[in-house]
PDB file of all heavy atoms in Angstrom:
ATOM      1  N   GLN A   7      61.237 -17.887  43.151  1.00  0.00           N
ATOM      2  CA  GLN A   7      59.804 -18.099  43.132  1.00  0.00           C
ATOM      3  C   GLN A   7      59.057 -16.988  43.872  1.00  0.00           C
ATOM      4  O   GLN A   7      57.852 -16.839  43.724  1.00  0.00           O
ATOM      5  CB  GLN A   7      59.433 -19.464  43.735  1.00  0.00           C
ATOM      6  CG  GLN A   7      59.764 -19.623  45.212  1.00  0.00           C
ATOM      7  CD  GLN A   7      61.043 -20.406  45.375  1.00  0.00           C
ATOM      8  OE1 GLN A   7      61.961 -20.248  44.576  1.00  0.00           O
ATOM      9  NE2 GLN A   7      61.117 -21.248  46.370  1.00  0.00           N
ATOM     10  N   ASN A   8      59.751 -16.166  44.690  1.00  0.00           N
ATOM     11  CA  ASN A   8      59.124 -15.053  45.394  1.00  0.00           C
ATOM     12  C   ASN A   8      59.485 -13.717  44.761  1.00  0.00           C
ATOM     13  O   ASN A   8      59.365 -12.668  45.378  1.00  0.00           O
ATOM     14  CB  ASN A   8      59.565 -15.058  46.865  1.00  0.00           C
ATOM     15  CG  ASN A   8      59.133 -16.325  47.587  1.00  0.00           C
ATOM     16  OD1 ASN A   8      58.026 -16.793  47.393  1.00  0.00           O
ATOM     17  ND2 ASN A   8      60.015 -16.874  48.421  1.00  0.00           N
ATOM     18  N   ALA A   9      59.960 -13.741  43.533  1.00  0.00           N
ATOM     19  CA  ALA A   9      60.527 -12.541  42.918  1.00  0.00           C
ATOM     20  C   ALA A   9      59.502 -11.677  42.211  1.00  0.00           C
ATOM     21  O   ALA A   9      59.874 -10.730  41.544  1.00  0.00           O
ATOM     22  CB  ALA A   9      61.622 -12.947  41.928  1.00  0.00           C
ATOM     23  N   GLY A  10      58.212 -11.977  42.333  1.00  0.00           N
ATOM     24  CA  GLY A  10      57.209 -11.131  41.726  1.00  0.00           C
ATOM     25  C   GLY A  10      56.719 -11.675  40.406  1.00  0.00           C
ATOM     26  O   GLY A  10      56.853 -12.861  40.116  1.00  0.00           O
ATOM     27  N   PRO A  11      56.152 -10.827  39.549  1.00  0.00           N
ATOM     28  CA  PRO A  11      55.535 -11.285  38.305  1.00  0.00           C
ATOM     29  C   PRO A  11      56.572 -11.831  37.334  1.00  0.00           C
ATOM     30  O   PRO A  11      57.744 -11.458  37.376  1.00  0.00           O
ATOM     31  CB  PRO A  11      54.869 -10.023  37.756  1.00  0.00           C
ATOM     32  CG  PRO A  11      55.645  -8.895  38.349  1.00  0.00           C
ATOM     33  CD  PRO A  11      56.049  -9.367  39.713  1.00  0.00           C
ATOM     34  N   PRO A  12      56.138 -12.702  36.435  1.00  0.00           N
ATOM     35  CA  PRO A  12      57.074 -13.256  35.447  1.00  0.00           C
ATOM     36  C   PRO A  12      57.497 -12.196  34.450  1.00  0.00           C
ATOM     37  O   PRO A  12      56.757 -11.244  34.166  1.00  0.00           O
ATOM     38  CB  PRO A  12      56.250 -14.363  34.766  1.00  0.00           C
ATOM     39  CG  PRO A  12      54.832 -13.915  34.924  1.00  0.00           C
ATOM     40  CD  PRO A  12      54.773 -13.234  36.265  1.00  0.00           C
ATOM     41  N   PRO A  13      58.685 -12.311  33.874  1.00  0.00           N
ATOM     42  CA  PRO A  13      59.145 -11.336  32.873  1.00  0.00           C
ATOM     43  C   PRO A  13      58.331 -11.376  31.602  1.00  0.00           C
ATOM     44  O   PRO A  13      58.198 -10.366  30.906  1.00  0.00           O
ATOM     45  CB  PRO A  13      60.598 -11.731  32.628  1.00  0.00           C
ATOM     46  CG  PRO A  13      60.696 -13.156  33.075  1.00  0.00           C
ATOM     47  CD  PRO A  13      59.711 -13.310  34.192  1.00  0.00           C
ATOM     48  N   LEU A  14      57.788 -12.550  31.261  1.00  0.00           N
ATOM     49  CA  LEU A  14      56.945 -12.697  30.080  1.00  0.00           C
ATOM     50  C   LEU A  14      55.683 -13.464  30.457  1.00  0.00           C
ATOM     51  O   LEU A  14      55.754 -14.455  31.199  1.00  0.00           O
ATOM     52  CB  LEU A  14      57.667 -13.486  28.986  1.00  0.00           C
ATOM     53  CG  LEU A  14      58.691 -12.777  28.098  1.00  0.00           C
ATOM     54  CD1 LEU A  14      59.343 -13.798  27.168  1.00  0.00           C
ATOM     55  CD2 LEU A  14      58.040 -11.668  27.290  1.00  0.00           C
ATOM     56  N   ALA A  15      54.553 -13.013  29.938  1.00  0.00           N
ATOM     57  CA  ALA A  15      53.334 -13.799  30.090  1.00  0.00           C
ATOM     58  C   ALA A  15      53.477 -15.056  29.235  1.00  0.00           C
ATOM     59  O   ALA A  15      53.886 -14.993  28.063  1.00  0.00           O
ATOM     60  CB  ALA A  15      52.130 -12.984  29.646  1.00  0.00           C
ATOM     61  N   LEU A  16      53.158 -16.195  29.807  1.00  0.00           N
ATOM     62  CA  LEU A  16      53.304 -17.444  29.078  1.00  0.00           C
ATOM     63  C   LEU A  16      52.174 -17.588  28.070  1.00  0.00           C
ATOM     64  O   LEU A  16      50.998 -17.487  28.415  1.00  0.00           O
ATOM     65  CB  LEU A  16      53.298 -18.630  30.052  1.00  0.00           C
ATOM     66  CG  LEU A  16      54.376 -18.617  31.127  1.00  0.00           C
ATOM     67  CD1 LEU A  16      54.330 -19.918  31.940  1.00  0.00           C
ATOM     68  CD2 LEU A  16      55.760 -18.425  30.531  1.00  0.00           C
ATOM     69  N   SER A  17      52.553 -17.828  26.817  1.00  0.00           N
ATOM     70  CA  SER A  17      51.559 -17.997  25.760  1.00  0.00           C
ATOM     71  C   SER A  17      52.165 -18.844  24.655  1.00  0.00           C
ATOM     72  O   SER A  17      53.393 -19.026  24.577  1.00  0.00           O
ATOM     73  CB  SER A  17      51.112 -16.641  25.191  1.00  0.00           C
ATOM     74  OG  SER A  17      52.174 -16.013  24.495  1.00  0.00           O
ATOM     75  N   ALA A  18      51.321 -19.341  23.781  1.00  0.00           N
ATOM     76  CA  ALA A  18      51.772 -20.223  22.710  1.00  0.00           C
ATOM     77  C   ALA A  18      52.422 -19.479  21.566  1.00  0.00           C
ATOM     78  O   ALA A  18      52.945 -20.111  20.643  1.00  0.00           O
ATOM     79  CB  ALA A  18      50.589 -21.041  22.193  1.00  0.00           C
ATOM     80  N   ASP A  19      52.408 -18.137  21.582  1.00  0.00           N
ATOM     81  CA  ASP A  19      52.997 -17.383  20.476  1.00  0.00           C
ATOM     82  C   ASP A  19      54.315 -16.711  20.849  1.00  0.00           C
ATOM     83  O   ASP A  19      54.779 -15.812  20.147  1.00  0.00           O
ATOM     84  CB  ASP A  19      52.007 -16.341  19.951  1.00  0.00           C
ATOM     85  CG  ASP A  19      51.601 -15.322  21.004  1.00  0.00           C
ATOM     86  OD1 ASP A  19      52.085 -15.415  22.151  1.00  0.00           O
ATOM     87  OD2 ASP A  19      50.779 -14.441  20.675  1.00  0.00           O
ATOM     88  N   LEU A  20      54.959 -17.136  21.941  1.00  0.00           N
ATOM     89  CA  LEU A  20      56.223 -16.528  22.350  1.00  0.00           C
ATOM     90  C   LEU A  20      57.293 -16.641  21.272  1.00  0.00           C
ATOM     91  O   LEU A  20      58.144 -15.759  21.131  1.00  0.00           O
ATOM     92  CB  LEU A  20      56.735 -17.176  23.639  1.00  0.00           C
ATOM     93  CG  LEU A  20      55.983 -16.855  24.929  1.00  0.00           C
ATOM     94  CD1 LEU A  20      56.578 -17.645  26.094  1.00  0.00           C
ATOM     95  CD2 LEU A  20      56.017 -15.362  25.223  1.00  0.00           C
ATOM     96  N   CYS A  21      57.265 -17.719  20.502  1.00  0.00           N
ATOM     97  CA  CYS A  21      58.298 -17.955  19.502  1.00  0.00           C
ATOM     98  C   CYS A  21      58.124 -17.096  18.254  1.00  0.00           C
ATOM     99  O   CYS A  21      58.998 -17.097  17.381  1.00  0.00           O
ATOM    100  CB  CYS A  21      58.319 -19.431  19.109  1.00  0.00           C
ATOM    101  SG  CYS A  21      58.671 -20.556  20.483  1.00  0.00           S
ATOM    102  N   ASP A  22      57.008 -16.380  18.161  1.00  0.00           N
ATOM    103  CA  ASP A  22      56.773 -15.552  16.973  1.00  0.00           C
ATOM    104  C   ASP A  22      57.633 -14.290  16.967  1.00  0.00           C
ATOM    105  O   ASP A  22      57.812 -13.666  15.920  1.00  0.00           O
ATOM    106  CB  ASP A  22      55.293 -15.146  16.895  1.00  0.00           C
ATOM    107  CG  ASP A  22      54.374 -16.338  16.672  1.00  0.00           C
ATOM    108  OD1 ASP A  22      54.887 -17.399  16.262  1.00  0.00           O
ATOM    109  OD2 ASP A  22      53.155 -16.204  16.912  1.00  0.00           O
ATOM    110  N   ASP A  23      58.132 -13.892  18.131  1.00  0.00           N
ATOM    111  CA  ASP A  23      58.868 -12.632  18.233  1.00  0.00           C
ATOM    112  C   ASP A  23      60.227 -12.880  18.890  1.00  0.00           C
ATOM    113  O   ASP A  23      60.304 -13.106  20.096  1.00  0.00           O
ATOM    114  CB  ASP A  23      58.064 -11.626  19.058  1.00  0.00           C
ATOM    115  CG  ASP A  23      58.739 -10.259  19.145  1.00  0.00           C
ATOM    116  OD1 ASP A  23      59.824 -10.092  18.560  1.00  0.00           O
ATOM    117  OD2 ASP A  23      58.180  -9.372  19.821  1.00  0.00           O
ATOM    118  N   PRO A  24      61.323 -12.840  18.128  1.00  0.00           N
ATOM    119  CA  PRO A  24      62.643 -13.048  18.731  1.00  0.00           C
ATOM    120  C   PRO A  24      62.982 -11.999  19.778  1.00  0.00           C
ATOM    121  O   PRO A  24      63.841 -12.227  20.639  1.00  0.00           O
ATOM    122  CB  PRO A  24      63.606 -12.979  17.541  1.00  0.00           C
ATOM    123  CG  PRO A  24      62.848 -12.287  16.453  1.00  0.00           C
ATOM    124  CD  PRO A  24      61.410 -12.611  16.672  1.00  0.00           C
ATOM    125  N   GLY A  25      62.307 -10.851  19.753  1.00  0.00           N
ATOM    126  CA  GLY A  25      62.539  -9.834  20.764  1.00  0.00           C
ATOM    127  C   GLY A  25      62.159 -10.284  22.164  1.00  0.00           C
ATOM    128  O   GLY A  25      62.597  -9.661  23.148  1.00  0.00           O
ATOM    129  N   ASN A  26      61.368 -11.345  22.263  1.00  0.00           N
ATOM    130  CA  ASN A  26      61.015 -11.854  23.584  1.00  0.00           C
ATOM    131  C   ASN A  26      62.234 -12.356  24.351  1.00  0.00           C
ATOM    132  O   ASN A  26      62.243 -12.347  25.577  1.00  0.00           O
ATOM    133  CB  ASN A  26      59.975 -12.973  23.476  1.00  0.00           C
ATOM    134  CG  ASN A  26      58.591 -12.440  23.159  1.00  0.00           C
ATOM    135  OD1 ASN A  26      58.223 -11.348  23.598  1.00  0.00           O
ATOM    136  ND2 ASN A  26      57.822 -13.202  22.398  1.00  0.00           N
ATOM    137  N   MET A  27      63.262 -12.777  23.623  1.00  0.00           N
ATOM    138  CA  MET A  27      64.474 -13.217  24.314  1.00  0.00           C
ATOM    139  C   MET A  27      65.148 -12.029  25.001  1.00  0.00           C
ATOM    140  O   MET A  27      65.660 -12.148  26.126  1.00  0.00           O
ATOM    141  CB  MET A  27      65.436 -13.887  23.344  1.00  0.00           C
ATOM    142  CG  MET A  27      66.689 -14.447  24.010  1.00  0.00           C
ATOM    143  SD  MET A  27      66.333 -15.763  25.234  1.00  0.00           S
ATOM    144  CE  MET A  27      66.158 -17.177  24.133  1.00  0.00           C
ATOM    145  N   ALA A  28      65.139 -10.873  24.357  1.00  0.00           N
ATOM    146  CA  ALA A  28      65.729  -9.671  24.962  1.00  0.00           C
ATOM    147  C   ALA A  28      64.967  -9.278  26.222  1.00  0.00           C
ATOM    148  O   ALA A  28      65.568  -8.841  27.211  1.00  0.00           O
ATOM    149  CB  ALA A  28      65.725  -8.527  23.957  1.00  0.00           C
ATOM    150  N   ILE A  29      63.651  -9.441  26.201  1.00  0.00           N
ATOM    151  CA  ILE A  29      62.844  -9.144  27.392  1.00  0.00           C
ATOM    152  C   ILE A  29      63.258 -10.055  28.541  1.00  0.00           C
ATOM    153  O   ILE A  29      63.413  -9.617  29.688  1.00  0.00           O
ATOM    154  CB  ILE A  29      61.343  -9.301  27.084  1.00  0.00           C
ATOM    155  CG1 ILE A  29      60.904  -8.247  26.069  1.00  0.00           C
ATOM    156  CG2 ILE A  29      60.509  -9.196  28.360  1.00  0.00           C
ATOM    157  CD1 ILE A  29      59.478  -8.421  25.575  1.00  0.00           C
ATOM    158  N   LEU A  30      63.457 -11.323  28.234  1.00  0.00           N
ATOM    159  CA  LEU A  30      63.908 -12.261  29.271  1.00  0.00           C
ATOM    160  C   LEU A  30      65.280 -11.867  29.809  1.00  0.00           C
ATOM    161  O   LEU A  30      65.512 -11.860  31.016  1.00  0.00           O
ATOM    162  CB  LEU A  30      63.951 -13.683  28.706  1.00  0.00           C
ATOM    163  CG  LEU A  30      62.617 -14.407  28.543  1.00  0.00           C
ATOM    164  CD1 LEU A  30      62.813 -15.699  27.764  1.00  0.00           C
ATOM    165  CD2 LEU A  30      61.992 -14.702  29.899  1.00  0.00           C
ATOM    166  N   LEU A  31      66.195 -11.547  28.894  1.00  0.00           N
ATOM    167  CA  LEU A  31      67.562 -11.233  29.309  1.00  0.00           C
ATOM    168  C   LEU A  31      67.638  -9.959  30.138  1.00  0.00           C
ATOM    169  O   LEU A  31      68.540  -9.803  30.965  1.00  0.00           O
ATOM    170  CB  LEU A  31      68.463 -11.102  28.081  1.00  0.00           C
ATOM    171  CG  LEU A  31      68.651 -12.380  27.250  1.00  0.00           C
ATOM    172  CD1 LEU A  31      69.468 -12.083  26.013  1.00  0.00           C
ATOM    173  CD2 LEU A  31      69.302 -13.479  28.071  1.00  0.00           C
ATOM    174  N   ASP A  32      66.689  -9.054  29.942  1.00  0.00           N
ATOM    175  CA  ASP A  32      66.669  -7.805  30.698  1.00  0.00           C
ATOM    176  C   ASP A  32      65.964  -7.941  32.039  1.00  0.00           C
ATOM    177  O   ASP A  32      65.977  -7.001  32.842  1.00  0.00           O
ATOM    178  CB  ASP A  32      65.972  -6.702  29.890  1.00  0.00           C
ATOM    179  CG  ASP A  32      66.827  -6.226  28.717  1.00  0.00           C
ATOM    180  OD1 ASP A  32      68.043  -6.464  28.748  1.00  0.00           O
ATOM    181  OD2 ASP A  32      66.258  -5.636  27.776  1.00  0.00           O
ATOM    182  N   SER A  33      65.365  -9.083  32.279  1.00  0.00           N
ATOM    183  CA  SER A  33      64.612  -9.276  33.512  1.00  0.00           C
ATOM    184  C   SER A  33      65.521  -9.777  34.624  1.00  0.00           C
ATOM    185  O   SER A  33      66.270 -10.746  34.429  1.00  0.00           O
ATOM    186  CB  SER A  33      63.497 -10.297  33.281  1.00  0.00           C
ATOM    187  OG  SER A  33      63.020 -10.818  34.502  1.00  0.00           O
ATOM    188  N   PRO A  34      65.490  -9.165  35.815  1.00  0.00           N
ATOM    189  CA  PRO A  34      66.313  -9.668  36.936  1.00  0.00           C
ATOM    190  C   PRO A  34      66.023 -11.119  37.269  1.00  0.00           C
ATOM    191  O   PRO A  34      66.933 -11.887  37.563  1.00  0.00           O
ATOM    192  CB  PRO A  34      65.942  -8.725  38.085  1.00  0.00           C
ATOM    193  CG  PRO A  34      65.486  -7.476  37.419  1.00  0.00           C
ATOM    194  CD  PRO A  34      64.790  -7.912  36.168  1.00  0.00           C
ATOM    195  N   ALA A  35      64.742 -11.495  37.230  1.00  0.00           N
ATOM    196  CA  ALA A  35      64.389 -12.877  37.572  1.00  0.00           C
ATOM    197  C   ALA A  35      64.983 -13.857  36.574  1.00  0.00           C
ATOM    198  O   ALA A  35      65.549 -14.893  36.947  1.00  0.00           O
ATOM    199  CB  ALA A  35      62.869 -13.034  37.628  1.00  0.00           C
ATOM    200  N   ALA A  36      64.850 -13.533  35.278  1.00  0.00           N
ATOM    201  CA  ALA A  36      65.410 -14.424  34.260  1.00  0.00           C
ATOM    202  C   ALA A  36      66.928 -14.414  34.296  1.00  0.00           C
ATOM    203  O   ALA A  36      67.571 -15.456  34.102  1.00  0.00           O
ATOM    204  CB  ALA A  36      64.913 -14.011  32.878  1.00  0.00           C
ATOM    205  N   GLU A  37      67.524 -13.252  34.536  1.00  0.00           N
ATOM    206  CA  GLU A  37      68.982 -13.171  34.596  1.00  0.00           C
ATOM    207  C   GLU A  37      69.523 -14.066  35.701  1.00  0.00           C
ATOM    208  O   GLU A  37      70.553 -14.731  35.542  1.00  0.00           O
ATOM    209  CB  GLU A  37      69.416 -11.722  34.839  1.00  0.00           C
ATOM    210  CG  GLU A  37      70.934 -11.564  34.866  1.00  0.00           C
ATOM    211  CD  GLU A  37      71.355 -10.137  35.137  1.00  0.00           C
ATOM    212  OE1 GLU A  37      70.486  -9.301  35.464  1.00  0.00           O
ATOM    213  OE2 GLU A  37      72.564  -9.859  35.046  1.00  0.00           O
ATOM    214  N   GLU A  38      68.816 -14.106  36.843  1.00  0.00           N
ATOM    215  CA  GLU A  38      69.244 -14.970  37.935  1.00  0.00           C
ATOM    216  C   GLU A  38      69.269 -16.432  37.511  1.00  0.00           C
ATOM    217  O   GLU A  38      70.170 -17.183  37.861  1.00  0.00           O
ATOM    218  CB  GLU A  38      68.310 -14.793  39.131  1.00  0.00           C
ATOM    219  CG  GLU A  38      68.668 -15.671  40.331  1.00  0.00           C
ATOM    220  CD  GLU A  38      67.702 -15.502  41.487  1.00  0.00           C
ATOM    221  OE1 GLU A  38      66.887 -14.554  41.463  1.00  0.00           O
ATOM    222  OE2 GLU A  38      67.749 -16.327  42.412  1.00  0.00           O
ATOM    223  N   ILE A  39      68.250 -16.807  36.722  1.00  0.00           N
ATOM    224  CA  ILE A  39      68.182 -18.183  36.245  1.00  0.00           C
ATOM    225  C   ILE A  39      69.260 -18.456  35.194  1.00  0.00           C
ATOM    226  O   ILE A  39      70.021 -19.420  35.287  1.00  0.00           O
ATOM    227  CB  ILE A  39      66.792 -18.474  35.649  1.00  0.00           C
ATOM    228  CG1 ILE A  39      65.709 -18.378  36.719  1.00  0.00           C
ATOM    229  CG2 ILE A  39      66.766 -19.866  34.997  1.00  0.00           C
ATOM    230  CD1 ILE A  39      65.868 -19.334  37.850  1.00  0.00           C
ATOM    231  N   LEU A  40      69.338 -17.600  34.185  1.00  0.00           N
ATOM    232  CA  LEU A  40      70.188 -17.879  33.031  1.00  0.00           C
ATOM    233  C   LEU A  40      71.667 -17.746  33.333  1.00  0.00           C
ATOM    234  O   LEU A  40      72.504 -18.266  32.584  1.00  0.00           O
ATOM    235  CB  LEU A  40      69.794 -16.972  31.869  1.00  0.00           C
ATOM    236  CG  LEU A  40      68.348 -17.146  31.367  1.00  0.00           C
ATOM    237  CD1 LEU A  40      68.085 -16.236  30.177  1.00  0.00           C
ATOM    238  CD2 LEU A  40      68.065 -18.589  31.011  1.00  0.00           C
ATOM    239  N   THR A  41      72.024 -17.041  34.403  1.00  0.00           N
ATOM    240  CA  THR A  41      73.434 -16.937  34.786  1.00  0.00           C
ATOM    241  C   THR A  41      73.762 -17.846  35.965  1.00  0.00           C
ATOM    242  O   THR A  41      74.861 -17.789  36.506  1.00  0.00           O
ATOM    243  CB  THR A  41      73.794 -15.482  35.156  1.00  0.00           C
ATOM    244  OG1 THR A  41      72.986 -15.057  36.264  1.00  0.00           O
ATOM    245  CG2 THR A  41      73.574 -14.559  33.975  1.00  0.00           C
ATOM    246  N   SER A  42      72.827 -18.691  36.350  1.00  0.00           N
ATOM    247  CA  SER A  42      73.036 -19.572  37.488  1.00  0.00           C
ATOM    248  C   SER A  42      74.192 -20.530  37.240  1.00  0.00           C
ATOM    249  O   SER A  42      74.412 -21.003  36.118  1.00  0.00           O
ATOM    250  CB  SER A  42      71.756 -20.382  37.750  1.00  0.00           C
ATOM    251  OG  SER A  42      71.998 -21.440  38.639  1.00  0.00           O
ATOM    252  N   GLU A  43      74.925 -20.849  38.295  1.00  0.00           N
ATOM    253  CA  GLU A  43      76.006 -21.824  38.182  1.00  0.00           C
ATOM    254  C   GLU A  43      75.465 -23.225  37.892  1.00  0.00           C
ATOM    255  O   GLU A  43      76.213 -24.120  37.508  1.00  0.00           O
ATOM    256  CB  GLU A  43      76.828 -21.849  39.479  1.00  0.00           C
ATOM    257  CG  GLU A  43      77.628 -20.572  39.715  1.00  0.00           C
ATOM    258  CD  GLU A  43      78.471 -20.653  40.970  1.00  0.00           C
ATOM    259  OE1 GLU A  43      78.378 -21.685  41.674  1.00  0.00           O
ATOM    260  OE2 GLU A  43      79.205 -19.688  41.252  1.00  0.00           O
ATOM    261  N   GLN A  44      74.166 -23.421  38.102  1.00  0.00           N
ATOM    262  CA  GLN A  44      73.562 -24.719  37.819  1.00  0.00           C
ATOM    263  C   GLN A  44      73.446 -24.986  36.320  1.00  0.00           C
ATOM    264  O   GLN A  44      73.265 -26.130  35.909  1.00  0.00           O
ATOM    265  CB  GLN A  44      72.178 -24.811  38.460  1.00  0.00           C
ATOM    266  CG  GLN A  44      72.187 -24.733  39.976  1.00  0.00           C
ATOM    267  CD  GLN A  44      70.783 -24.841  40.526  1.00  0.00           C
ATOM    268  OE1 GLN A  44      69.974 -25.619  40.042  1.00  0.00           O
ATOM    269  NE2 GLN A  44      70.499 -24.071  41.548  1.00  0.00           N
ATOM    270  N   LEU A  45      73.502 -23.928  35.522  1.00  0.00           N
ATOM    271  CA  LEU A  45      73.322 -24.072  34.079  1.00  0.00           C
ATOM    272  C   LEU A  45      74.649 -23.933  33.352  1.00  0.00           C
ATOM    273  O   LEU A  45      75.499 -23.128  33.722  1.00  0.00           O
ATOM    274  CB  LEU A  45      72.345 -23.024  33.547  1.00  0.00           C
ATOM    275  CG  LEU A  45      70.925 -23.062  34.091  1.00  0.00           C
ATOM    276  CD1 LEU A  45      70.052 -22.054  33.355  1.00  0.00           C
ATOM    277  CD2 LEU A  45      70.308 -24.451  33.988  1.00  0.00           C
ATOM    278  N   ASN A  46      74.798 -24.725  32.305  1.00  0.00           N
ATOM    279  CA  ASN A  46      75.960 -24.669  31.430  1.00  0.00           C
ATOM    280  C   ASN A  46      75.830 -23.418  30.565  1.00  0.00           C
ATOM    281  O   ASN A  46      74.985 -23.343  29.667  1.00  0.00           O
ATOM    282  CB  ASN A  46      75.996 -25.936  30.577  1.00  0.00           C
ATOM    283  CG  ASN A  46      77.134 -25.950  29.574  1.00  0.00           C
ATOM    284  OD1 ASN A  46      77.772 -24.930  29.303  1.00  0.00           O
ATOM    285  ND2 ASN A  46      77.377 -27.112  28.997  1.00  0.00           N
ATOM    286  N   GLN A  47      76.687 -22.431  30.830  1.00  0.00           N
ATOM    287  CA  GLN A  47      76.544 -21.149  30.159  1.00  0.00           C
ATOM    288  C   GLN A  47      76.805 -21.242  28.653  1.00  0.00           C
ATOM    289  O   GLN A  47      76.249 -20.471  27.873  1.00  0.00           O
ATOM    290  CB  GLN A  47      77.472 -20.109  30.806  1.00  0.00           C
ATOM    291  CG  GLN A  47      77.046 -19.727  32.211  1.00  0.00           C
ATOM    292  CD  GLN A  47      75.614 -19.206  32.248  1.00  0.00           C
ATOM    293  OE1 GLN A  47      75.269 -18.294  31.502  1.00  0.00           O
ATOM    294  NE2 GLN A  47      74.786 -19.796  33.107  1.00  0.00           N
TER     295      GLN A  47
END
């Protein structure tokens, strides 16, 4: 929560571009979340 700006601006059209997933995966903040041991990989 102290990691700075979000990797993606939240908007209702995020699903229009599958490339947005790559942006998330390249973000350190998102990578920390998506590789967390709390989540079923």
Side-chain angles (χ1 to χ4, degrees):
Q7 64 260 37
N8 298 319
L14 280 176
L16 302 185
S17 67
D19 61 0
L20 288 177
C21 300
D22 294 343
D23 183 0
N26 285 326
M27 183 62 82
I29 294 173
L30 284 171
L31 296 175
D32 288 341
S33 162
E37 182 181 9
E38 179 182 348
I39 296 300
L40 299 182
T41 60
S42 167
E43 292 182 357
Q44 297 180 40
L45 298 186
N46 177 346
Q47 291 303 307

